[in-house]
Structure formats: C-alpha cells, structure tokens
Amino acid sequence: MEVFSHFIKSRVHISEAELNLVLSKFKNTTVKKGALVLREGQIANQYFFIKSGGLRLHYGSFEEQHTSWVFFENDFFTEISSLHAQVPSRFNIEAIEHTELLVIGKVEMDQLYKMLSVWQEFGRKIWEEICIRQVDQNLNYQTLSAKQIYLELLKNSDFVKKIPVKQLASILGITPNALSRIRKEIK
C-alpha cells in the first residue's frame, strides 16, 4: 500500500486518518496472464490501481481483437463508459502478464466521495489526467504518422517490452507487418 499511498499523496493533501480510511476500502488481488477482470457485456463496477503487471483494454472477436490501450504499473483507472452509465461494457479488460491490483468497488468509491472532500478532489484530478492523456492521444493520431506515434510510445518502455507486436500494431492502427517495417527503419 506504500506505493499507492504515495500515488494518492502526490495528487492531494490528505490526512493520515483519511488516507487510512481510503486504504481500508481497497482489496489486494492478483490476476493471471490472460484472465479477464471485465468481460464485454458486463457492467463495470470496480476501479483498479495496478501495483505490478499490466491490463489491456480491447474489443472484438478472438480473430479480430483491437487493443484500445494498455495500462501499467501505477495506473489508476476503470472502464468509465460502462461504470458511470451502468451499461454493459463494450470492452474486455485482460491481464497481459501476472498482475497485482488494488481494487475498490463503485459503491465504496461513491461512499468515499460523499465522506471525504479530499477524495472528491483526488477523483477529479485522476479524471483530468486521463482526459488530458486522451486528448493528447487523439491529437497524436490525427497529426502524427504511425512511426511518430510509435516513437512516442517508446518513451514508455513497457509498451515495447510487454505488449506483443500484434497488440501494439492495433494500438497504432496499423498491421503487424507495417509495425515491423517501422521498427526496422528505426534501428
């Protein structure tokens, strides 16, 4: 919980009593590589903090899976389009390797929001960070070439070390062969 405590404190000023209350609502869990923490069609009801490992957000059938994004260590997220509206998810969330998570249910999260104004601030800041990242990602996809986007992704080595070529190509919106050509050009 030390890493998560630091994660929280890096975003808000929170008392030890408030922090202890927040931490008491989170549960440790592990997920094996390939296991789903959310299946398409289910309604999301949890938030995740990744202690180690990674989770992939994807959609489509087995042969035609499209990876939307991958989350790694120290990411805090949920499938917000399902959780917020309480509608079936359009995505699967799958462990790309053995993954350790801290998990909190929507009900507990909502209770913390009602009880602690500092936790509301934390939630707002997290979603602002995610929105900014999404805006930047959208802009990159509209203005940069696949090679330029790949070079941006290389700044986070987990994208290259932990994601298979097919999934990384899907994130870039290109074929695995096109990604292989880009990799050869860069070397």
Side-chain angles (χ1 to χ4, degrees):
M1 291 283 193
E2 187 177 323
V3 171
F4 188 46
S5 295
H6 177 73
F7 180 85
I8 294 167
K9 289 178 181 179
S10 71
R11 284 155 179 82
V12 294
H13 296 290
I14 188 169
S15 72
E16 285 303 311
E18 291 168 327
L19 180 61
N20 288 332
L21 175 62
V22 167
L23 296 177
S24 74
K25 302 294 182 182
F26 282 82
K27 306 296 179 229
N28 281 295
T29 190
T30 57
V31 184
K32 292 180 182 178
K33 180 180 179 176
L36 295 175
V37 296
L38 181 71
R39 185 179 305 280
E40 179 182 355
Q42 289 181 320
I43 295 174
N45 64 0
Q46 296 177 318
Y47 295 82
F48 307 98
F49 177 79
I50 302 177
K51 291 171 58 177
S52 66
L55 297 174
R56 173 173 78 110
L57 189 74
H58 65 89
Y59 62 94
S61 66
F62 184 73
E63 300 83 24
E64 286 293 321
Q65 287 184 2
H66 301 280
T67 300
S68 294
W69 199 248
V70 181
F71 300 92
F72 297 108
E73 190 172 307
N74 297 325
D75 276 334
F76 186 87
F77 76 100
T78 187
E79 204 284 80
I80 194 67
S81 63
S82 171
L83 183 124
H84 178 73
Q86 289 293 279
V87 297
S89 177
R90 296 168 288 175
F91 299 96
N92 294 297
I93 300 176
E94 175 186 6
I96 61 169
E97 60 185 348
H98 179 81
T99 301
E100 295 181 50
L101 301 170
L102 289 173
V103 180
I104 187 171
K106 180 185 186 318
V107 171
E108 292 82 8
M109 189 74 154
D110 289 345
Q111 288 171 345
L112 287 174
Y113 283 150
K114 288 178 184 173
M115 294 170 59
L116 304 173
S117 60
V118 70
W119 196 244
Q120 289 177 19
E121 180 186 357
F122 173 81
R124 178 182 54 79
K125 287 184 175 182
I126 288 296
W127 292 111
E128 287 172 355
E129 288 176 21
I130 290 171
C131 284
I132 290 166
R133 185 167 55 187
Q134 187 66 47
V135 167
D136 289 345
Q137 183 182 342
N138 290 346
L139 184 61
N140 283 347
Y141 281 94
Q142 293 171 353
T143 61
L144 301 178
S145 68
K147 179 179 179 180
Q148 291 169 315
I149 295 169
Y150 178 71
L151 290 170
E152 285 295 313
L153 291 178
L154 284 178
K155 293 176 182 175
N156 179 345
S157 64
D158 284 340
F159 274 94
V160 179
K161 292 178 185 174
K162 296 182 178 183
I163 303 175
V165 170
K166 183 176 179 180
Q167 294 171 13
L168 188 55
S170 180
I171 290 171
L172 294 168
I174 60 176
T175 66
N177 288 340
L179 178 56
S180 293
R181 284 192 297 276
I182 288 170
R183 287 176 143 178
K184 285 179 185 174
E185 286 176 25
I186 293 172
K187 291 181 180 187

